[in-house]
Amino acid sequence: MNSLLLNCDIGESFGAWTMGLDAEVMPYIDCANIACGFHASDPSVMRKTVALAVAHDVRIGAHTAYQDLVGFGRRSMDCTPQEIEDLMLYQIGALEGLCRSQGSRVSYVKPHGALYQDMMRKPATLRAVMSAVAKYDRQLPLMLMCTRDNAAAQALGDEFGLTLWFEAFADRAYDAAGYLVSRSLPGAVHHDSEVIVAQAVTLARGEALQASDGSALPLVAQTLCVHGDNASSVAAVKRIRQAFDHLAQA
């Protein structure tokens, strides 16, 4: 069995607008990817989310994104490598300040949305992201998508002296290369909790998933992304935690 860390995108409310069930999901995860104000969140939400993570002894990650509140960070932006470094450093530093005020710290970095997708498909973007993390703190792991072949990303991480945490998803469908199926296509997102839990257990056991073309897809990941934006997803997270604990004891 792979010892997968459960991570969740969290702290994505903004002002009077609430998104997600942060308090409900926090007890069951290992890592909280906290939005840093560019795709979601604000300073008060960030502070409250850090406090919630600290109370549950959950690792805090900087969930960095393109500056796109309206599009929730899901729209790609034509940024130069230097601009990507700048926005990464700005967001990590903002979250770090709020962490330090509560006796904690940023423990890793996970880009969000379009930035996450772009860095997996554009070498220059991935290099800029890694450069920013290395300049801020080379000891911070960088979370990125686990695909069929992680060799190129691992080689670049080694060049920067970074620890990489390859991430799989419990509620998303994959293509044959190990990339996420576009949300615009049917079946891209799993909504059935039985399917979500089964996919999580398959990954934890180190077994191959079935890609969208029917082929076997082996993924070697260190962390599993789960979502907690509704009651059903929180229930699924709880069941995944229980399943992982059961596998660990078997």
Side-chain angles (χ1 to χ4, degrees), residues 114-126:
L115 180 57
Y116 183 90
Q117 297 288 345
D118 286 352
M119 76 176 186
M120 296 306 302
R121 298 183 182 275
K122 300 177 181 179
T125 301
L126 181 58

Side-chain angles (χ1 to χ4, degrees), residues 120-173:
M120 296 306 302
R121 298 183 182 275
K122 300 177 181 179
T125 301
L126 181 58
R127 178 174 286 276
V129 167
M130 288 190 177
S131 177
V133 175
K135 287 178 179 177
Y136 187 87
D137 184 349
R138 205 178 300 273
Q139 301 304 311
L140 291 181
L142 172 66
M143 198 178 290
L144 70 168
M145 189 188 303
C146 177
T147 65
R148 183 181 289 274
D149 185 1
N150 300 320
Q154 185 62 64
L156 190 58
D158 292 344
E159 179 183 327
F160 281 100
L162 294 177
T163 297
L164 303 183
W165 286 353
F166 288 101
E167 176 186 42
F169 292 79
D171 63 350
R172 296 295 303 275

